[in-house]
C-alpha cells in the first residue's frame, strides 16, 4: 500500500504512525517531513516503526550552530559585547601611541645632548675673537671592554660672526701648519734666537720673540700637523676609568645601566712655520681657545668639559687645552634595562603563584588543565635571553644580573622541580 504525504506534519516526540498500532520514538523534538515523500509500508509489520527520511541538508541544519558574530557585520557591532571590544581596541591603540611618544622623547634628548656638545662653552662670548683656534672632535667609537674612546680631531677657527666654526685650510688666508701635541706641558721658552732671525721674524710675522712659549719636552714629536687642508684630522684613543669612586652603582660595567666613566686629554699647539724659521723645535706654542664635539656613540652619551689654561689670570699656568669627558648610558638604555627587570619579576611571580596554588594549596586542575611544565621550562630559558637583547649590555656578572636574572632563574628552577614532583605524585581519577 502506498501512502502519499503532501503537507508537512508537526510530529511530537511520541506520536502514532499512520496505518499502524505501534508508536514511533522521534529523537528530535519536532520533525517536519518533506513534501511528496512516499513510504512503502508493505515491508513493515505491525510491530515495526515507520522510518523517518532525513536528508543531508536537514541533518546539517539541525547539528551545526550558526554564528551570527563570525563576520564584522551589523550583529557584531550591535551585540552586548561591542563595548568591551571598543575598550580593548582603544587601549591597544593608546599604548602604541604612548610607546611611540616615549621613543621620540628619548630621541629628542639625544639630539639636545649633541647640540650641547657643539656649544662654544670654553670661553665667554665677550672673550671670543675671530680667528681663534678650536679643536673639533668627532666621536667614533667607545669600547667598554678596552675602556677607550676613539675621537677624530680636526682644527677649526672662529668666523667673523663669533659663533660659526670653519675648518682650517678652507682658504689661502686661513691655511697654516700647526703641530698638535698630546698630554704635554707648555712652559716659557728661554732658548736664544740670533739677532738676524729675530729681525726677520718680527718684520715678517709682527710678533716678539720675547716671552714666547714652548713644549716642555723639546724632543717630543707631534701627533699630527693640522691646518693645511680642511680634511686634515688625527685619531686619538682616550683611556677611561671610574668617574665616581666607592659607588657600586656607578662602577664601570658592574653598575650597568647606571655606570659612569671619565677620561681626559690635553692638547697643545705650536706654529710649525715659526719654529722652523727660528730653528727651535717645539717652540712658539700658541693658545687653543676651546673644543667642540660632534656625532654620537651608540648606547653612550659623552659630555665634554673644556679648561683653557691660557685664560688664567695671575700666576702662569701654562697654555694647554684640557678636555674632560664623562660617559653615561642614555635614558633609553636605562629605561630598557629597568623594563626588562620588571618583566622578568612579573613572569617569575606569576609562575611562583601557579606553583604554590597547585603544589601547596592542592588545586589539581592547574596540573591537569594547564601545561604548566611547558610554561616553566620556557621561562627558564627565555628570561636569560632577555638580557642578551638589552642595548649595550656588558658581560654576565653586572649588578643587573644579581637583581633581575640570577634570583629569577633560581625561583623558576625550584618551581619547575616542584611541578614535576607534583605531576608524578598526582593520582589519576578512577574513571581512567
Amino acid at each position: 500500500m502506498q501512502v502519499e504525504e503532501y503537507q508537512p506534519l508537526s510530529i511530537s516526540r511520541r506520536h502514532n504512525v499512520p496505518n499502524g498500532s505501534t508508536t514511533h520514538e522521534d529523537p528530535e523534538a519536532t520533525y517536519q517531513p518533506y513534501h511528496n515523500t512516499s513510504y512503502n509500508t508493505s515491508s513493515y509489520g505491525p510491530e515495526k516503526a515507520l522510518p523517518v527520511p532525513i536528508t543531508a541538508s536537514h541533518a546539517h541544519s539541525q547539528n551545526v550552530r550558526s554564528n551570527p558574530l563570525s563576520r564584522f557585520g551589523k550583529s557584531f557591532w550591535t551585540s552586548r559585547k561591542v563595548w568591551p571590544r571598543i575598550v580593548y581596541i582603544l587601549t591597544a591603540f593608546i599604548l602604541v601611541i604612548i610607546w611611540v611618544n616615549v621613543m621620540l622623547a628619548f630621541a629628542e634628548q639625544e639630539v639636545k645632548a649633541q647640540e650641547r656638545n657643539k656649544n662654544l662653552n670654553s670661553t665667554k662670548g665677550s672673550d671670543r675673537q675671530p680667528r681663534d683656534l678650536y679643536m673639533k672632535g668627532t666621536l667614533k667609537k667607545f669600547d667598554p671592554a678596552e675602556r677607550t674612546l676613539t675621537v677624530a680631531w680636526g682644527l677649526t677657527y672662529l668666523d667673523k660672526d663669533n659663533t660659526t666654526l670653519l675648518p682650517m685650510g678652507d682658504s689661502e688666508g686661513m691655511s697654516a701648519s700647526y703641530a698638535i701635541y698630546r698630554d704635554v706641558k707648555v712652559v716659557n721658552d728661554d732658548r736664544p734666537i740670533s739677532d738676524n732671525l729675530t729681525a726677520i721674524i718680527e718684520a715678517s710675522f709682527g710678533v716678539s720673540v720675547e716671552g714666547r712659549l714652548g713644549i716642555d719636552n723639546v724632543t717630543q714629536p707631534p701627533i699630527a700637523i693640522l691646518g693645511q687642508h680642511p680634511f686634515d684630522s688625527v685619531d686619538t684613543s682616550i683611556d677611561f676609568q671610574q668617574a665616581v669612586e666607592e659607588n657600586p652603582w656607578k662602577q664601570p660595567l658592574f653598575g650597568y645601566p647606571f655606570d659612569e666613566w671619565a677620561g681626559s686629554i690635553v692638547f697643545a699647539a705650536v706654529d710649525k712655520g715659526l719654529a722652523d724659521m727660528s730653528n727651535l723645535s717645539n717652540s712658539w706654542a700658541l693658545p687653543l681657545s676651546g673644543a667642540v664635539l660632534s656625532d654620537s656613540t651608540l648606547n653612550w652619551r659623552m659630555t665634554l668639559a673644556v679648561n683653557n689654561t691660557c685664560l688664567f689670570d695671575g700666576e702662569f699656568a701654562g697654555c694647554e687645552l684640557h678636555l674632560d669627558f664623562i660617559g653615561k648610558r642614555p635614558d633609553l638604555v636605562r629605561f630598557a634595562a629597568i623594563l626588562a627587570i620588571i618583566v622578568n619579576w612579573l613572569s617569575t611571580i606569576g609562575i611562583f603563584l601557579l606553583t604554590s596554588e597547585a603544589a601547596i594549596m592542592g588545586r589539581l586542575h592547574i596540573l591537569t588543565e594547564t601545561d604548566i611544565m611547558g610554561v616553566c621550562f620556557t621561562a627558564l630559558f627565555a628570561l636569560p635571553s632577555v638580557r642578551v637583547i638589552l642595548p649595550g649590555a656588558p658581560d654576565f656578572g653586572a649588578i643587573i644580573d644579581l637583581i633581575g636574572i640570577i634570583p629569577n632563574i633560581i625561583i623558576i628552577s625550584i618551581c619547575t622541580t616542584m611541578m614535576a614532583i607534583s605531576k608524578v605524585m598526582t593520582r589519576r581519577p578512577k574513571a581512567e
Side-chain angles (χ1 to χ4, degrees):
M1 181 179 64
Q2 300 290 331
V3 179
E4 300 290 332
E5 294 184 4
Y6 297 95
Q7 300 296 329
L9 299 177
S10 178
I11 303 175
S12 62
R13 185 174 296 275
R14 185 177 181 88
H15 58 273
N16 295 326
V17 180
N19 298 330
S21 59
T22 60
T23 59
H24 171 69
E25 296 290 340
D26 188 359
E28 302 292 336
T30 303
Y31 168 67
Q32 294 182 356
Y34 292 88
H35 297 288
N36 301 328
T37 304
S38 300
Y39 300 93
N40 188 355
T41 59
S42 60
S43 61
Y44 295 92
E47 302 297 331
K48 295 183 178 180
L50 185 67
V52 180
I54 301 177
T55 62
S57 61
H58 179 70
H60 178 76
S61 63
Q62 293 292 329
N63 296 329
V64 178
R65 297 178 61 186
S66 61
N67 184 10
L69 303 180
S70 60
R71 296 181 180 179
F72 293 95
K74 181 178 179 181
S75 59
F76 179 87
W77 299 106
T78 57
S79 65
R80 291 179 297 176
K81 297 182 178 180
V82 63
W83 284 111
R85 291 190 180 96
I86 295 176
V87 169
Y88 73 69
I89 291 175
L90 290 178
T91 302
F93 185 71
I94 291 173
L95 290 177
V96 171
I97 293 178
I98 292 175
W99 180 265
V100 172
N101 288 331
V102 170
M103 296 299 107
L104 292 178
F106 287 139
E108 185 67 21
Q109 287 185 358
E110 187 64 27
V111 173
K112 291 181 179 179
Q114 294 183 26
E115 292 296 331
R116 287 193 296 268
N117 286 334
K118 293 180 181 179
N119 292 335
L120 301 178
N121 54 2
S122 59
T123 58
K124 299 179 180 179
S126 58
D127 296 331
R128 294 197 297 263
Q129 299 293 331
R131 294 177 175 259
D132 284 349
L133 297 179
Y134 283 79
M135 297 293 292
K136 183 178 181 180
T138 302
L139 297 173
K140 299 184 68 174
K141 179 183 178 182
F142 179 69
D143 189 350
E146 298 293 335
R147 301 192 175 192
T148 56
L149 173 66
T150 303
V151 184
W153 297 97
L155 192 61
T156 61
Y157 69 95
L158 193 62
D159 199 10
K160 295 179 181 180
D161 59 1
N162 239 19
T163 56
T164 305
L165 291 178
L166 300 177
M168 284 291 299
D170 63 339
S171 62
E172 294 183 0
M174 290 303 299
S175 178
S177 297
Y178 295 102
I180 305 301
Y181 297 82
R182 173 184 176 175
D183 299 331
V184 295
K185 180 70 176 177
V186 175
V187 296
N188 291 316
D189 191 356
D190 298 331
R191 289 175 292 176
I193 301 178
S194 65
D195 295 337
N196 292 335
L197 289 177
T198 300
I200 295 175
I201 292 173
E202 291 180 350
S204 302
F205 297 94
V207 295
S208 175
V209 297
E210 300 296 333
R212 68 183 184 277
L213 303 176
I215 306 301
D216 58 346
N217 185 0
V218 296
T219 61
Q220 175 74 27
I223 60 173
I225 305 297
L226 304 179
Q228 294 179 339
H229 309 94
F231 50 80
D232 291 341
S233 65
V234 56
D235 290 350
T236 59
S237 181
I238 304 171
D239 294 333
F240 271 60
Q241 59 186 0
Q242 185 173 355
V244 181
E245 299 292 340
E246 299 180 356
N247 189 341
W249 293 97
K250 295 186 178 182
Q251 184 176 347
L253 297 181
F254 179 76
Y256 173 89
F258 303 103
D259 48 341
E260 293 187 13
W261 305 64
S264 63
I265 190 172
V266 178
F267 283 121
V270 165
D271 191 329
K272 192 174 183 300
L274 285 173
D276 293 342
M277 181 176 291
S278 59
N279 294 325
L280 297 175
S281 62
N282 296 352
S283 185
W284 296 98
L286 68 160
L288 292 173
S289 299
V292 294
L293 286 179
S294 63
D295 214 327
S296 62
T297 52
L298 183 63
N299 299 326
W300 290 96
R301 180 173 296 171
M302 298 294 171
T303 58
L304 177 64
V306 180
N307 182 15
N308 185 1
T309 59
C310 297
L311 300 179
F312 286 176
D313 296 331
E315 184 179 357
F316 177 74
C319 195
E320 309 94 21
L321 184 65
H322 294 253
L323 306 180
D324 297 323
F325 293 85
I326 296 294
K328 298 180 181 180
R329 310 277 181 172
D331 293 339
L332 177 59
V333 174
R334 296 182 179 182
F335 172 77
I338 294 174
L339 186 62
I341 292 178
I342 294 175
V343 171
N344 280 3
W345 273 110
L346 288 178
S347 303
T348 303
I349 292 173
I351 294 174
F352 177 78
L353 291 177
L354 286 176
T355 304
S356 301
E357 290 292 324
I360 299 177
M361 303 305 295
R363 301 182 68 177
L364 299 181
H365 69 278
I366 298 179
L367 292 173
T368 57
E369 299 178 5
T370 306
D371 189 11
I372 187 62
M373 291 298 297
V375 174
C376 291
F377 276 107
T378 302
L380 192 60
F381 294 97
L383 294 187
S385 62
V386 174
R387 184 191 180 282
V388 179
I389 63 176
L390 291 179
D395 294 336
F396 195 83
I399 197 170
I400 190 177
D401 303 319
L402 304 179
I403 295 176
I405 301 296
I406 295 178
N408 300 77
I409 295 177
I410 294 174
I411 294 174
I412 294 176
S413 300
I414 295 174
C415 292
T416 304
T417 304
M418 293 179 63
M419 296 305 297
I421 296 174
S422 300
K423 277 186 171 291
V424 171
M425 298 182 63
T426 300
R427 297 181 180 179
R428 292 186 176 182
K430 295 181 179 180
E432 297 182 6

